[in-house]
């Protein structure tokens, strides 16, 4: 087995808070916004890790494994790996004390990939990482998360379609509707068929149609729409298809807890898509559901200050100014009629 996963800045930066810029607004969460806030289960693990203790993190991953909470396990593994990248002492102690713990093996694989990905010697370093991914997969055969990492590796290493399909079959056999694996597959297809967004939409739509109504995979078409809107190349996708993708994600968002860190990234991406589609009222509704929980992605693709960028967008939406959001707030220059260009990277599907 092989691997690789691009480290997103949202997993590196510590949460920050900021006051509203000007216009006050009544919202249940108050006047603050928080960037990349951990949920109530992850927060104690990060606090303990900050003290050099690994037991809470180990227990959290053990619970997700026992309960087959694969979406949570995936997200927690990424966040814990990001924390270990900057504060490794607690993780080194965990690894020395319990080297065969499935949780520590999973975090070790993610951490190694995170460290290798930005290096100019990525390919060589990733070959060294492969045994770690294999070990994580063997530690818990039910777990799709190591296979998500393997799918990402197929993208990073430009593996052929046949090899990718073998990994994909192994992943969906373990968890047919695991969102992380579907996102990894969408990214692979986007890189393989750069500019051919219809294929990405076809994949995302089929996956959403097959998934339960409350599955995160319902948001996959909106993620394909985000990739299309920020890519700037390829044939035009019908507006109706973009709206249908947004509508699916809106329906899912309505089923999830309001003002909660868990669906925050989904809603922040959806907010971007709705703004690009000039669906201002729907964007306001998502902003209310987001509450104070801003996420680095996608706003770090528009600005070096994602929290400040989110606050400016919030300010614009809550103002009485008519019309779509200014182009600068969406990280793109004004575009000609019918265009869909932008400078956000296509790999950020």
């Amino acid at each position: 087995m092989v691997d690789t996963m691009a480290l997103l800045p949202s997993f590196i930066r510590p949460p920050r808070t900021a006051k509203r810029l000007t216009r006050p607004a009544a919202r249940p969460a108050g006047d603050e916004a928080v960037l990349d806030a951990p949920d109530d289960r992850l927060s104690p693990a990060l606090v303990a890790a900050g003290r050099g203790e690994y037991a809470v993190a180990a227990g959290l991953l053990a619970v997700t494994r026992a309960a087959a909470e694969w979406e949570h396990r995936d997200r927690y593994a990424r966040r814990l790996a990001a924390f270990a990248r900057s504060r490794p002492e607690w993780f080194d102690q965990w690894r020395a004390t319990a080297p065969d713990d499935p949780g520590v093996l999973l975090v070790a694989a993610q951490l190694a990939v995170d460290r290798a990905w930005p290096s100019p010697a990525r390919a060589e370093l990733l070959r060294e990482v492969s045994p770690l991914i294999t070990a994580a997969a063997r530690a818990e055969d039910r777990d799709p998360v190591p296979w998500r990492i393997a799918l990402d590796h197929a993208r990073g290493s430009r593996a052929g379609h046949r090899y990718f399909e073998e990994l994909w079959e192994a992943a969906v056999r373990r968890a047919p509707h695991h969102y992380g694996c579907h996102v990894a597959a969408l990214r692979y297809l986007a890189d393989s068929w750069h500019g051919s967004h219809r294929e990405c939409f076809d994949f995302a739509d089929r996956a959403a149609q097959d998934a339960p109504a409350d599955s995160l995979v319902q948001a996959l078409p909106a993620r394909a729409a985000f990739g299309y809107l920020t890519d700037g190349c390829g044939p035009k996708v019908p507006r109706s298809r973009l709206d249908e993708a947004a509508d699916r994600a809106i329906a899912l968002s309505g089923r999830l807890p309001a003002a909660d860190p868990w669906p925050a990234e989904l809603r922040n991406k959806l907010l971007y898509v709705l703004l690009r589609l000039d669906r201002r009222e729907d964007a306001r509704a998502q902003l209310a559901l987001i509450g104070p929980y801003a996420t680095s992605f996608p706003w770090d693709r528009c600005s070096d200050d994602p929290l400040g960028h989110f606050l400016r967008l919030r300010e614009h939406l809550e103002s009485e100014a008519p019309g779509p959001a200014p182009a600068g707030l969406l990280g793109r220059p004004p575009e000609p009629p019918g265009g869909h260009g932008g400078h956000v990277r296509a790999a950020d599907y």
Side-chain angles (χ1 to χ4, degrees), residues 42-126:
L42 179 61
S43 183
L46 294 176
V47 170
R51 297 194 301 262
E53 303 166 3
Y54 67 84
V56 181
L60 176 61
L61 289 184
V63 167
T64 62
R65 174 180 172 235
E69 296 177 324
W70 305 129
E71 302 291 2
H72 289 285
R73 184 174 178 82
D74 199 345
R75 187 163 60 108
Y76 295 155
R78 296 188 201 205
R79 293 293 297 266
L80 290 169
F83 195 81
R85 191 176 181 188
S86 58
R87 299 283 296 275
E89 299 83 4
W90 65 277
F91 180 71
D92 291 342
Q93 184 182 359
W94 182 14
R95 201 172 184 182
T97 304
D100 298 324
D101 183 334
V104 82
L105 290 171
L106 186 62
V107 175
Q110 183 68 61
L111 176 59
V113 171
D114 292 347
R115 287 172 171 165
W117 189 262
S119 171
R122 179 194 303 169
E124 293 81 1
L125 293 174
L126 287 176

Side-chain angles (χ1 to χ4, degrees), residues 46-240:
L46 294 176
V47 170
R51 297 194 301 262
E53 303 166 3
Y54 67 84
V56 181
L60 176 61
L61 289 184
V63 167
T64 62
R65 174 180 172 235
E69 296 177 324
W70 305 129
E71 302 291 2
H72 289 285
R73 184 174 178 82
D74 199 345
R75 187 163 60 108
Y76 295 155
R78 296 188 201 205
R79 293 293 297 266
L80 290 169
F83 195 81
R85 191 176 181 188
S86 58
R87 299 283 296 275
E89 299 83 4
W90 65 277
F91 180 71
D92 291 342
Q93 184 182 359
W94 182 14
R95 201 172 184 182
T97 304
D100 298 324
D101 183 334
V104 82
L105 290 171
L106 186 62
V107 175
Q110 183 68 61
L111 176 59
V113 171
D114 292 347
R115 287 172 171 165
W117 189 262
S119 171
R122 179 194 303 169
E124 293 81 1
L125 293 174
L126 287 176
R127 280 195 291 269
E128 299 174 5
V129 170
S130 296
L132 296 176
I133 309 303
T134 300
R138 288 176 175 170
E140 173 52 81
D141 185 63
R142 300 177 303 154
D143 189 356
V145 181
W147 296 91
R148 184 270 299 166
I149 299 174
L151 290 168
D152 279 317
H153 174 271
R155 174 173 62 94
S157 61
R158 299 187 182 278
H161 288 289
R162 178 173 296 180
Y163 178 65
F164 168 80
E165 289 171 1
E166 292 175 357
L167 296 175
W168 174 247
E169 289 173 2
V172 297
R173 188 163 59 246
R174 286 160 174 81
H177 308 299
H178 182 249
Y179 183 62
C181 288
H182 280 77
V183 170
L186 187 64
R187 284 171 166 166
Y188 175 86
L189 296 177
D191 280 6
S192 298
W193 296 328
H194 184 58
S196 299
H197 294 282
R198 293 178 190 271
E199 288 86 348
C200 295
F201 271 95
D202 288 345
F203 170 78
D205 286 342
R206 285 194 301 268
Q209 289 165 9
D210 291 341
D214 59 352
S215 168
L216 293 180
V217 175
Q218 294 295 333
L220 199 67
R223 191 154 186 136
F226 176 86
Y228 168 75
L229 291 168
T230 57
D231 189 7
C233 70
K236 189 173 181 180
V237 172
R239 168 63 189 249
S240 60

Side-chain angles (χ1 to χ4, degrees), residues 237-255:
V237 172
R239 168 63 189 249
S240 60
R241 197 161 197 184
L242 300 174
D243 283 325
E244 288 169 3
D247 290 342
R248 272 191 181 274
I250 288 172
L252 174 64
S253 178
R255 298 184 183 100

